[in-house]
Amino acid sequence: MTNISQQRKALTERILDGAGTASQRERQAAFENTGLAESAVRMLSQKVAMQAGAVSDQDVAMAKASGRTEDQIFEIVVCAAVGQSTRQYDSARAALDAATSRG
Amino acid sequence: MRLAILDRGHSFGTKALFAFIRLATRQPTPEMIKLIGYRPGFFGAHMKKVTHEAMRGSSAWSVGDRELMAAWVSRVNACEYCIKAHSAVAARAYGDAPKVAAALSDLEAAPISEPLRATLRMLGKLTREQTVTADDMRSVLAAGVTSQQIEDALAVGFAFNTINRLAETFAFSVPGPKAFEAGAKFLLAHGYR
């Protein structure tokens, strides 16, 4: 039986709470896909979460033009991707719990 | 790659490893390896552990089934790099490339088991709509899939919904079939560690 709970927890804790070049606040906001103040970074993060295939060179260029370094963009994108996958996963786990009356 | 650091920002040791991979496979360094190898302490090392457990941990699903799930999630996300990468692994694991191609082109008509079909259907909806309902899960259970198998499939879904987003956002370039064949061979022999 596969159990990714420990590995997922370690991943999430590292990208949100560990050292990074983007602020913890910005990484958390990207993960939650809410509360990002800067518009280019917010747009990029929203696209990563909801329509990653539509991210363009221009989206990344605009995030850079906002003053973010490539390392900061890398971290923000990772947090946005893991955050959305986490919401999907948690939703599905809750649905499974409801279906099996474990919830 | 849309970020130059993912092409050229790796440590000296990692660059040496990439050179070895290029020499051994006679293929360019896979974009996925470049992503995982960039500041691995931040993301790659942890993501590898999640993915290895999801794809190679103990499960009632076979390796081929889980690789097909990865390819299917990637197809729903329209991630060309990941579709090709995991179709190649699934085809090799099953020893049946036409089965993989059939599942990806017409899930309802493909020659796969009903439990696997129901699970792929649910993973597809979760990937497309970001959520599923208890009724969706009851349909999968009614097809003969156990709760544990659903949890195992959701682990694959988590890994590839993450990876697809990154591959698309960073614009992984898509190599030819020989590169994916080499990658499939490696992933079947060594997993994702």
Side-chain angles (χ1 to χ4, degrees):
Chain A
M1 56 177 84
T2 302
N3 187 345
I4 61 166
S5 58
Q6 281 185 352
Q7 293 87 344
R8 225 165 49 87
K9 184 168 179 278
L11 169 67
T12 305
E13 285 178 355
R14 175 61 190 92
I15 62 173
L16 294 182
D17 304 331
T21 60
S23 68
Q24 268 185 284
R25 190 183 200 172
E26 203 159 50
R27 281 182 272 153
Q28 186 73 43
F31 184 91
E32 292 171 4
N33 194 19
T34 182
L36 275 164
E38 207 290 314
S39 65
V41 176
R42 184 173 63 244
M43 181 178 289
L44 176 61
S45 183
Q46 285 174 346
K47 276 194 174 179
V48 173
M50 300 310 292
Q51 42 174 166
V55 172
S56 66
D57 292 350
Q58 196 188 355
D59 292 321
V60 175
M62 284 170 67
K64 283 187 199 174
S66 77
R68 301 305 186 282
T69 65
E70 287 208 349
D71 270 307
Q72 289 172 324
I73 293 170
F74 167 70
E75 292 172 11
I76 288 164
V77 167
V78 164
C79 289
V82 175
Q84 187 61 28
S85 301
T86 297
R87 282 185 287 282
Q88 289 177 323
Y89 182 78
D90 289 346
S91 150
R93 290 287 305 261
L96 179 60
D97 283 348
T100 55
S101 300
R102 291 185 302 185
Chain B
M1 286 282 204
R2 290 196 171 110
L3 295 181
I5 50 171
L6 297 180
D7 261 330
R8 299 186 294 277
H10 304 86
S11 68
F12 178 77
T14 303
K15 282 179 180 164
L17 176 66
F18 290 173
F20 175 76
I21 291 171
R22 284 195 300 274
L23 202 66
T25 63
R26 297 180 184 182
Q27 298 294 330
T29 308
E31 302 278 79
M32 192 62 218
I33 300 290
K34 291 184 193 171
L35 170 64
I36 291 295
Y38 183 70
R39 290 175 53 200
F42 181 78
F43 171 70
H46 297 288
M47 192 68 216
K48 279 204 293 190
K49 287 179 184 166
V50 172
T51 310
H52 188 80
E53 178 65 18
M55 302 302 283
R56 299 292 184 270
S58 165
S59 175
W61 297 115
S62 69
V63 167
D65 293 339
R66 284 178 279 175
E67 292 289 346
L68 178 58
M69 290 175 199
W72 174 251
V73 167
S74 303
R75 183 189 174 283
V76 176
N77 280 325
C79 178
E80 186 188 358
Y81 183 97
C82 298
I83 297 168
K84 288 185 172 173
H86 297 281
S87 297
V89 190
R92 190 172 271 267
Y94 281 139
D96 189 348
K99 177 163 104 170
V100 175
L104 295 182
S105 70
D106 186 350
L107 178 63
E108 299 307 325
I112 58 174
S113 72
E114 288 310 314
L116 180 57
R117 194 187 326 277
T119 301
L120 291 173
R121 212 181 276 136
M122 179 276 294
L123 281 178
K125 182 177 178 188
L126 178 63
T127 300
R128 205 167 34 246
E129 300 181 15
Q130 315 298 323
T131 188
V132 286
T133 65
D135 279 345
D136 294 322
M137 290 302 187
R138 287 187 193 103
S139 298
V140 184
L141 292 163
V145 182
T146 66
S147 297
Q148 184 60 54
Q149 281 180 298
I150 293 178
E151 291 193 28
D152 295 356
L154 294 178
V156 178
F158 172 80
F160 284 87
N161 270 301
T162 301
I163 290 166
N164 292 165
R165 283 182 168 84
L166 298 177
E168 288 297 295
T169 300
F170 295 133
F172 281 12
S173 64
V174 180
K178 280 186 182 172
F180 287 120
E181 273 308 310
K185 237 174 166 173
F186 181 89
L187 287 173
L188 271 188
H190 304 287
Y192 293 81
R193 278 188 280 228

